[in-house]
Amino acid sequence: QQPRLKAAGVRELGGGAEPAAAMQAPGGYGPVAPVGLLEKPPQEPMIGSPLDAAKAQAGRCIPCLAPRQPGERHWTESGIGATVTQSAALGALVYEGVVYNLIFLRKILPAVGKQVWVIPFAILFNSVFGLALWSYLRAHCSDPGLVPDRWKEFVEHVGPALSIAPARLEWQPGKATFCKKCGIARPERAHHCNICGVCVLRMDHHCPWINNCVGFLNHKFFLLLVTYCLLACCTALFTSLPELLYCTGALLRLEHNIFYREHHVQISELLCFLVFGFLALGFLGVLAPMLAQHAHLATMNATTIEGHYDNMPNPFDMGSTFPNLEQIFGIFGIDWFLPILPVRPLSDGVTFARNYETLGPDGLPQGMVRDYGQPWAMQEKLWRVRYQVRPTAQPEQPAQENGLDQLMGLTGCYAPCVSRDSATHEGLTVQMQQKGWNGYA
């Protein structure tokens, strides 16, 4: 019995048996099971589709660590820093609105005799400021565009008919790529965010100012956020610039100026008003080049990541500014200027129009008619066309065998008298060769 215990990885101690000390796995990933108890001979993975092949290749490249759940973030120093950055940005935005309304409009303007401008300035600034704050909340709280479940079901449904390419930092139109970190096949233009821990459709970048990814579903909100924040800063500066200069001079001549005394304006309020001016000026210096960069990419229908691709011309560039913006904002309408999802979108985030396609007015390739009764069937049809899914081969029906074929199949041999050179039995010889019986001649 003792040899059997040793062979099973169990040592005898004090008359009893207990498992032998577990060995430490290489790399410090924890203990492994005793030899002989759970160990199985290594087996090659069964590869039956491009997705299985991609998974097998990814398994050889990364260590076997516990995967993160979808949406789980890395709360490391970078994650905490992004939270602090977001809080500072949102706090500065709210500070600008509060100081403009409570100090500039209520006290500074009446103090200098410009009461007539209070209501027009209030309507102008608060309209833009409200849209900026609304856009910020939508950009931060919205789903940037996680890979939908219908796409995963589609991948499982078509199986090997869908070609899956390795992910590269280059244009890959019409190709599904495999994410080694998520372990899924993802659509074109989708990328993995290391901070959010998920793959995002048409990912642009991860923005620390909103502490969220900028992707297919909230790219419009991000562009509106930058635009409206810049407009709010310009409105605040241009409407308050004379008063900012006047208050700066009043603070520099406190002993000779009775401005703050006659109109009940406190020195602390003047200081807050000056800080408001410096913040607005700082926002203007940051947001102007940011908007110029992202607007330039949007007018080419490219993301921040794709802006560095040079393996081919941009296949998603529609040729002019307006059609490219429609790929992000949808067909032009009043919803362009509101932080809401496009009313008439031209893409579903999984597949995108190419510049060599002839599109109809609904954004679909010419020849395809939108079926409003079965939208999912229409969507799958479009995916099959643009991802060039190979048609599934129909299983061949076995040919009906005659009596001689059945007899030969049952006996396992063929008559030695059949001559290969006989023209009469040439057809039978071909059938025998197809069945793999070549030892008869």
Side-chain angles (χ1 to χ4, degrees):
Q1 183 179 2
Q2 186 174 0
R4 290 198 299 270
L5 291 175
K6 292 182 178 179
V10 178
R11 57 186 175 88
E12 188 173 0
L13 182 61
E18 66 176 297
M23 296 179 294
Q24 189 71 17
Y29 291 116
V32 297
V35 179
L37 291 179
L38 299 176
E39 185 177 12
K40 295 182 179 180
Q43 298 179 355
E44 289 294 328
M46 298 295 294
I47 300 177
S49 68
L51 180 59
D52 296 332
K55 289 182 178 180
Q57 180 65 26
R60 302 187 186 102
C61 302
I62 57 178
C64 183
L65 297 175
R68 281 184 293 164
Q69 297 297 324
E72 180 183 355
R73 300 196 179 197
H74 274 313
W75 292 112
T76 57
E77 295 181 359
S78 60
I80 297 175
T83 304
V84 173
T85 304
Q86 175 210 352
S87 302
L90 182 58
L93 182 61
V94 174
Y95 178 86
E96 293 289 286
V98 171
V99 172
Y100 189 89
N101 286 279
L102 297 184
I103 297 180
F104 174 66
L105 295 180
R106 289 187 59 185
K107 291 192 173 184
I108 303 296
L109 277 185
V112 296
K114 296 183 178 179
Q115 297 90 338
V116 68
W117 293 104
V118 171
I119 295 179
F121 285 175
I123 295 176
L124 178 62
F125 174 81
N126 286 295
S127 298
V128 182
F129 177 76
L131 289 172
L133 191 59
W134 185 11
S135 301
Y136 186 95
L137 295 177
R138 290 303 308 271
H140 168 67
C141 300
S142 297
D143 171 20
L146 303 182
V147 178
D149 293 334
R150 281 187 173 179
W151 165 259
K152 300 176 184 178
E153 297 172 0
F154 172 76
V155 173
E156 295 294 335
H157 176 66
V158 299
L162 176 66
S163 300
I164 300 178
R168 297 188 179 93
L169 291 178
E170 62 183 21
W171 294 112
Q172 294 179 294
K175 293 182 180 179
T177 58
F178 182 77
C179 178
K180 298 178 181 179
K181 297 181 181 180
C182 293
I184 61 173
R186 61 195 180 191
E188 59 183 357
R189 309 184 78 179
H191 296 278
H192 185 87
C193 176
N194 292 323
I195 298 178
C196 295
V198 292
C199 287
V200 179
L201 300 176
R202 196 185 179 274
M203 179 178 174
D204 189 271
H205 69 288
H206 185 92
C207 180
W209 303 103
I210 62 174
N211 198 16
N212 195 10
C213 279
V214 177
F216 172 73
L217 292 181
N218 66 345
H219 194 186
K220 172 188 175 182
F221 307 152
F222 175 78
L223 293 176
L224 291 179
L225 166 64
V226 179
T227 302
Y228 286 135
C229 282
L230 183 60
L231 289 178
C233 290
C234 293
T235 302
L237 279 177
F238 293 155
T239 56
S240 64
L241 184 59
E243 287 70 33
L244 283 171
L245 298 177
Y246 185 86
C247 291
T248 302
L251 284 175
L252 294 178
R253 300 185 303 272
L254 289 178
E255 65 278 9
H256 303 292
N257 199 295
I258 61 173
F259 165 76
Y260 65 96
R261 296 175 184 174
E262 292 180 350
H263 302 282
H264 306 287
V265 178
Q266 303 296 326
I267 297 179
S268 59
E269 293 173 338
L270 293 180
L271 291 175
C272 290
F273 184 54
L274 293 180
V275 172
F276 155 85
F278 284 113
L279 280 178
L281 189 62
F283 272 126
L284 182 63
V286 172
L287 294 175
M290 182 184 298
L291 180 61
Q293 176 189 4
H294 287 282
H296 174 68
L297 291 172
T299 55
M300 298 189 303
N301 195 11
T303 63
T304 304
I305 300 175
E306 296 167 345
H308 305 284
Y309 294 172
D310 56 359
N311 62 311
M312 66 171 68
N314 183 0
F316 305 106
D317 187 357
M318 297 291 102
S320 60
T321 298
F322 195 77
N324 284 332
L325 290 178
E326 284 188 325
Q327 297 296 317
I328 301 175
F329 291 82
I331 298 177
F332 181 76
I334 191 62
D335 58 296
W336 266 41
F337 308 99
L338 300 176
I340 59 176
L341 292 175
V343 176
R344 294 175 293 174
L346 293 180
S347 174
D348 57 3
V350 172
T351 179
F352 300 88
R354 291 81 187 266
N355 50 21
Y356 49 82
E357 292 180 333
T358 302
L359 302 178
D362 55 358
L364 293 176
Q366 193 173 17
M368 296 186 66
V369 180
R370 188 179 297 275
D371 187 356
Y372 293 95
Q374 295 180 338
W376 165 232
M378 188 64 201
Q379 190 178 47
E380 182 177 351
K381 181 180 179 181
L382 181 61
W383 290 356
R384 287 178 175 271
V385 170
R386 285 187 171 158
Y387 283 95
Q388 301 178 357
V389 176
R390 299 184 297 272
T392 304
Q394 299 293 334
E396 297 182 359
Q397 298 294 334
Q400 185 176 3
E401 297 181 346
N402 53 29
L404 181 59
D405 291 331
Q406 297 177 1
L407 178 62
M408 290 181 178
L410 292 174
T411 58
C413 60
Y414 289 94
C417 60
V418 177
S419 173
R420 185 174 59 181
D421 299 329
S422 174
T424 306
H425 299 92
E426 182 178 359
L428 178 60
T429 303
V430 173
Q431 293 182 17
M432 294 164 64
Q433 290 178 351
Q434 290 177 351
K435 292 178 178 292
W437 297 92
N438 296 322
Y440 70 93

